[in-house]
Amino acid sequence: MAKEKNALRLSALDRKATALGLSVGQPLANARAMLPELKVMAANDGADHKLLERIADWCDRFTPFVALEPPRVLLLDVTGAAHLFGGERALLASILATLRKQGFAVRGALAGTAMAARACARYRDGMVVAPGAEMETTAPLPIEALFLDPVTTHAFRRAGLKTVGQVAHRGRRELTARFGSAMVFTLETALGKTEKPISPRNPVPAYSAERNFPEPVATEEIIRTTLVSLAETLAEALEKRGEGVRRLEAAFFRADGAVTRIAVETGSPTREPAIIERLFREKLDALADPLDPGFGFDLIRLSASRTQMCETALADFNADLNAEREIRFLVDRLSARFGAHRVLAFQPNDTHIPEAAGLAIPAQELRQTKSTWEVRRKEEAPRRPLRLLAKPEEIEAIATVPAGPPRRFHWRRVQHDVVRAEGPERIAMEWWRHLVPQPTRDYFRVEDTNGHRFWLYRDGIYVREVGIPRWYLHGTFA
Amino acid sequence: MAGTAEKLASLRATLATAGLETLVANARVPLGHASADTALKGGLERGALHEVYAATNSETAATAFAAGMAARVSGKKKILWIRQDFSALEFGEISATGLVDLGIDPSQILLVCTAHADDAIKAASDALTCAALGAIVIEIPGSPKILDLVTSRRLTLACAQKNVTAFLLRFSARPEASTAETRWRVHAAASLKDEENWGQPIFETELVRNRHGRTGHWVMEWNCDEGLFREPSGGKAAHHRAVVSAPGDGPAAAALEGARAAHAVG
């Protein structure tokens, strides 16, 4: 039941309710009058959609081409996949039987085009349309089989065109003029005259390998060996094309229909099964929500969702290269466990803004850049602090001269008396990056009586930019 | 004596030509500070666990000290720096430009950020299996439970196995039992009196524990140009200052203080 056009209307019915003569779209008051004992529940579109998604996940085992058509249609392109499941008829029967066993009321059909299949699923449940027979099959179906919008359907009904066949007899030009080309296209595909490929909900991987288990498996050991052997299968295919994977996805299809997908990424193309298995082990170990085998997995699939050409590495005895590879593997492992954003490398960045100059980026994404590190001058004490606060902290500072360094300041409730100070080093903010002009910063390097060294700045030039400038502590030196 | 040195040099050369550099590489790495190196019997041991405790408010000094030591033992190899998120929030994030200014190449460093100390130790255990690393630094604030004797022993064994050196950098922590090869306590030190502006990074370091030698107390300066520690260039007189043990160090620390006084070199 859902609210529609200011009235509570029935949005879905079970079999019994249909048998009793209720219909979708009927006002609730109306239905209650017919059946006072009617039980209604509020419609939950979000949950419905989620459920449909999960069924689609489960359907992934039959073909990678699965498309959603909310609220309740799933389209599978099984071209070239049917023979793996014993032919089209057996495939359709097994999908329908399994879903029914799980308690879903489901209708299905298989045809040469998605629209024809959809129409048949609605009115000819369980049908497998022979190739080329789409026209004969769909022609007698009521016009609703085209799943057009209610206004168009109503218009056809008013015009006396009650079946697909009757509509199909009208001139195309006439129909286009009245209902638009999209409607004509839908009609043509339903008749099997043209074809429109479905757009799969997940990108179809370039490589994938899978293993079916007649008896669901649950032990870690079997999962691990399966991943290794799948990775070996992938590696063979990859090697032929000279490619390596950058992103891999393992899909675990549980016997009860739930599907878990886990992805790992690598910093450089790889196809080493042992490495791939290890990365997955790191990832699985670190999952907050561990992989729950339930009653076991009956299908495990490994697919390469991103690949890249890799330089053919002959067995090289170059120690440097080997070390580099070892480091990359370590980075991949740590990234798989903690997340790529937690394993960082420093990259030089062309900016004079202190907080942006030494940017730490995910180590897996590190590439050669043209920028280099600013060279330090010989015999010069560090000009930049070793530890930089993410957000400069405001301090209370007392300076003797307005433009000079502070004599004394309080930071985190501790008083520091300045003994030595150097500065100012004036750093203007990058005005082209900010809408509101940022005040210029005058940085000072100061040392207190205990030898602690700080990097402070006065925010804004005295009088010219701000009235009474505030002081901030931005970092600490060794 | 000169004969011995020559003999040693020629032996090293022979080893090197025989492709046994690794043997030579296993030798201790001199820090550069003469009397500290003497106490360490030639330098910091590779493939071992070393601890650096920061005195209160001297976290950045201790960071630089650990970074310097890690750079010394690593040479051109990579350094994996594991730090806990809290540490970066409280004491600031390691800055690439700051490393450049210390004479350490930031590209040499990989930073691993972990939410908990447990994760940091996990990352460290994994990293220690990677012989291509020069050193790892594990930066952990406070005294989490995981840092017990068992963990310390495990890290020590892992270090020895692949000859990777580990530095445990501890902030606001009290000293605990461990199997570390050395334990240092680092205070920031004031620039020398006769310098108008500040000079190179300078530390007051106490070697409070040394498995294979005596302990000591030195003021060291990190030379950013040559990448080594040395005696402060301006003279040592300026650096006699009573070191007050940090609050909460307790009787154990007091005993350490006593031991340090006995070994004070200045």
Side-chain angles (χ1 to χ4, degrees):
Chain A
M1 174 265 301
K3 197 160 185 172
E4 203 178 296
K5 285 188 207 147
N6 284 328
L8 290 174
R9 286 169 194 274
L10 301 181
S11 58
L13 299 165
D14 66 3
R15 196 163 295 163
K16 221 169 179 182
T18 320
L20 287 167
L22 300 183
S23 62
V24 171
Q26 196 174 23
L28 178 63
N30 210 329
R32 275 259 160 80
M34 287 166 67
L35 284 171
E37 67 277 23
L38 181 69
K39 268 192 197 140
V40 290
M41 266 172 284
N44 185 343
D45 288 343
D48 281 351
H49 190 80
K50 224 177 265 172
L51 181 64
L52 192 65
E53 289 262 1
R54 291 192 47 198
I55 298 174
D57 271 343
W58 174 81
C59 287
D60 263 355
R61 64 174 62 208
F62 300 108
T63 167
F65 292 92
V66 177
L68 280 183
E69 218 169 84
R72 53 192 67 156
V73 178
L74 279 179
L75 297 171
L76 275 65
D77 186 345
V78 294
T79 314
H83 70 278
L84 298 171
F85 302 93
E88 292 179 343
R89 201 165 291 278
L91 171 61
L92 181 63
S94 102
I95 294 177
L96 294 179
T98 316
L99 285 174
R100 281 186 186 129
K101 210 155 64 189
Q102 295 199 21
F104 293 107
V106 60
R107 280 187 284 230
L110 201 149
T113 66
M115 295 305 128
R118 188 175 66 174
C120 292
R122 176 75 180 79
Y123 294 99
R124 299 279 188 273
D125 182 24
M127 187 178 209
V128 176
V129 181
E134 283 82 12
M135 180 111 99
E136 296 93 272
T137 323
T138 49
L141 300 182
I143 187 69
E144 282 81 4
L146 291 179
F147 289 80
L148 302 167
D149 61 285
V151 180
T152 313
T153 311
H154 188 66
F156 279 129
R157 287 236 162 238
R158 293 254 316 258
L161 301 172
K162 293 203 173 82
T163 65
V164 177
Q166 285 168 337
V167 176
H169 273 110
R170 311 300 304 186
R172 295 293 179 267
R173 206 172 297 164
E174 197 185 327
L175 288 172
T176 312
R178 173 73 174 78
F179 300 107
S181 56
M183 179 263 140
V184 175
F185 187 71
T186 309
L187 177 67
E188 295 286 322
T189 49
L191 296 171
K193 286 188 179 157
T194 52
E195 197 175 348
K196 183 182 155 215
I198 65 169
S199 45
R201 46 200 279 278
N202 297 321
V204 178
Y207 301 90
S208 88
E210 63 185 40
R211 175 168 299 169
N212 263 300
F213 300 95
E215 198 66 35
V217 297
T219 64
E220 216 173 285
E221 189 53 40
I222 297 180
I223 292 172
R224 187 176 304 166
T225 49
T226 307
L227 283 177
V228 172
S229 75
L230 292 178
E232 277 164 2
T233 315
L234 278 190
E236 265 172 43
L238 286 161
E239 200 161 4
K240 275 183 205 143
R241 307 253 299 260
E243 287 184 318
V245 290
R246 289 290 310 280
R247 189 173 185 280
L248 271 162
E249 192 186 79
F252 300 90
F253 292 80
R254 227 162 68 175
D256 63 3
V259 182
T260 314
R261 287 165 204 281
I262 286 157
V264 295
E265 294 194 30
T266 63
S268 57
T270 181
R271 50 177 181 241
E272 197 64 47
I275 291 184
I276 292 171
E277 188 272 329
R278 179 70 198 272
L279 293 181
F280 273 110
R281 191 153 21 114
E282 290 290 334
K283 187 88 183 189
L284 289 172
D285 275 356
L287 282 184
D289 190 12
L291 186 66
D292 174 18
F295 295 111
F297 301 111
D298 59 359
L299 173 68
I300 296 179
R301 175 186 294 156
L302 189 66
S303 39
S305 37
R306 186 143 51 95
T307 58
Q308 196 183 324
M309 295 303 283
C310 58
E311 65 275 31
T312 25
L314 297 166
D316 57 73
F317 299 100
N318 188 333
D320 274 1
L321 265 175
N322 275 332
E324 207 177 295
R325 195 170 309 148
E326 245 186 274
I327 300 272
R328 278 204 303 249
F329 181 31
L330 175 68
V331 166
D332 288 343
R333 245 154 45 209
L334 293 171
S335 304
R337 177 176 281 270
F338 301 112
H341 60 288
R342 286 190 162 276
V343 184
L344 309 172
F346 293 111
Q347 192 170 44
N349 194 5
D350 273 331
T351 173
H352 63 273
I353 301 300
E355 46 268 60
L359 211 60
I361 62 162
Q364 283 186 329
E365 280 154 35
L366 190 70
R367 296 285 170 270
Q368 294 294 329
T369 55
K370 270 192 228 129
S371 336
T372 49
W373 299 107
E374 215 172 292
V375 191
R376 61 175 293 274
R377 270 169 268 167
K378 279 236 159 210
E379 297 197 2
E380 191 186 44
R383 296 172 60 227
R384 291 283 178 267
L386 180 58
R387 303 198 75 117
L388 202 60
L389 293 173
K391 197 169 174 287
E393 291 179 16
E394 191 168 353
I395 52 171
E396 274 173 53
I398 302 159
T400 30
V401 277
R407 281 274 306 278
R408 173 184 299 163
F409 66 93
H410 285 83
W411 177 50
R412 294 183 180 172
R413 297 196 195 137
V414 178
Q415 180 180 312
H416 300 273
D417 290 307
V418 175
V419 184
R420 286 179 187 78
E422 257 190 11
E425 180 188 352
R426 183 157 291 181
I427 298 181
M429 295 294 101
E430 292 170 328
W431 53 265
W432 58 93
R433 287 194 204 274
H434 303 278
L435 284 173
V436 185
Q438 304 277 310
T440 310
R441 296 174 180 179
D442 274 347
Y443 277 94
F444 290 91
R445 295 181 276 163
V446 304
E447 183 176 317
D448 74 0
T449 42
N450 292 318
H452 301 131
R453 298 158 170 192
F454 306 93
W455 207 39
L456 314 175
Y457 70 86
R458 194 182 47 230
D459 206 22
I461 300 167
Y462 193 57
V463 180
R464 205 202 311 167
E465 285 186 359
V466 284
I468 297 166
R470 286 192 289 197
W471 285 87
Y472 291 89
L473 190 145
H474 201 166
T476 49
F477 291 89
Chain B
M1 281 305 276
T4 332
E6 265 176 39
K7 206 180 246 172
L8 202 64
S10 78
L11 271 173
R12 286 222 167 117
T14 325
L15 279 174
T17 46
L20 296 170
E21 292 99 322
T22 45
L23 268 178
V24 181
N26 272 342
R28 289 163 174 265
V29 186
L31 292 178
H33 187 281
S35 75
D37 282 337
T38 317
L40 291 168
K41 302 232 159 82
L44 211 58
E45 189 173 317
R46 273 218 179 99
L49 175 67
H50 302 277
E51 294 179 329
V52 178
Y53 279 79
T56 318
N57 289 331
S58 293
E59 288 82 11
T60 311
T63 306
F65 187 67
M69 291 208 292
R72 292 287 306 152
V73 298
S74 306
K76 292 239 175 295
K77 288 180 169 182
K78 295 262 185 201
I79 299 168
L80 194 79
W81 195 293
I82 303 162
R83 67 117 180 97
Q84 224 180 304
D85 291 344
F86 177 74
S87 191
L89 275 176
E90 186 70 11
F91 310 111
E93 184 73 278
I94 311 283
S95 146
T97 43
L99 287 167
V100 171
D101 281 358
L102 286 180
I104 297 171
D105 182 7
S107 329
Q108 207 184 339
I109 292 187
L110 291 165
L111 191 66
V112 179
C113 316
T114 65
H116 311 287
D118 298 25
D119 282 351
I121 296 299
K122 253 182 223 149
S125 311
D126 191 357
L128 285 173
T129 62
C130 179
L133 282 179
I136 68 168
V137 181
I138 314 158
E139 178 184 314
I140 292 182
S143 301
K145 268 203 196 109
I146 179 112
L147 285 180
D148 56 7
L149 200 56
V150 179
T151 306
S152 169
R153 187 167 296 139
R154 250 188 25 224
L155 290 177
T156 305
L157 285 175
C159 286
Q161 220 156 39
K162 296 276 171 152
N163 199 30
V164 181
T165 319
F167 297 92
L168 195 55
L169 181 55
R170 305 282 308 269
F171 298 155
S172 3
R174 49 176 87 229
E176 279 157 286
S178 84
T179 57
E181 175 69 26
T182 64
R183 175 179 293 167
W184 300 81
R185 200 170 161 74
V186 180
H187 300 250
S191 292
L192 301 173
K193 286 246 164 54
D194 44 336
E195 271 181 37
E196 197 175 300
N197 296 315
W198 64 14
Q200 310 276 346
I202 190 160
F203 323 95
E204 200 169 307
T205 62
E206 300 164 55
L207 178 56
V208 292
R209 188 169 148 172
N210 184 2
R211 270 192 180 261
H212 296 103
R214 60 190 182 82
T215 55
H217 177 206
W218 306 277
V219 172
M220 293 190 202
E221 187 182 83
W222 171 253
N223 184 323
C224 305
D225 298 316
E226 291 162 42
L228 45 79
F229 294 96
R230 63 173 187 203
E231 307 239 336
S233 40
K236 11 184 166 168
H239 275 284
H240 277 298
R241 125 173 127 89
V243 180
V244 187
S245 66
D249 275 6
L256 289 175
E257 295 280 334
R260 171 164 46 81
H263 289 291
V265 179

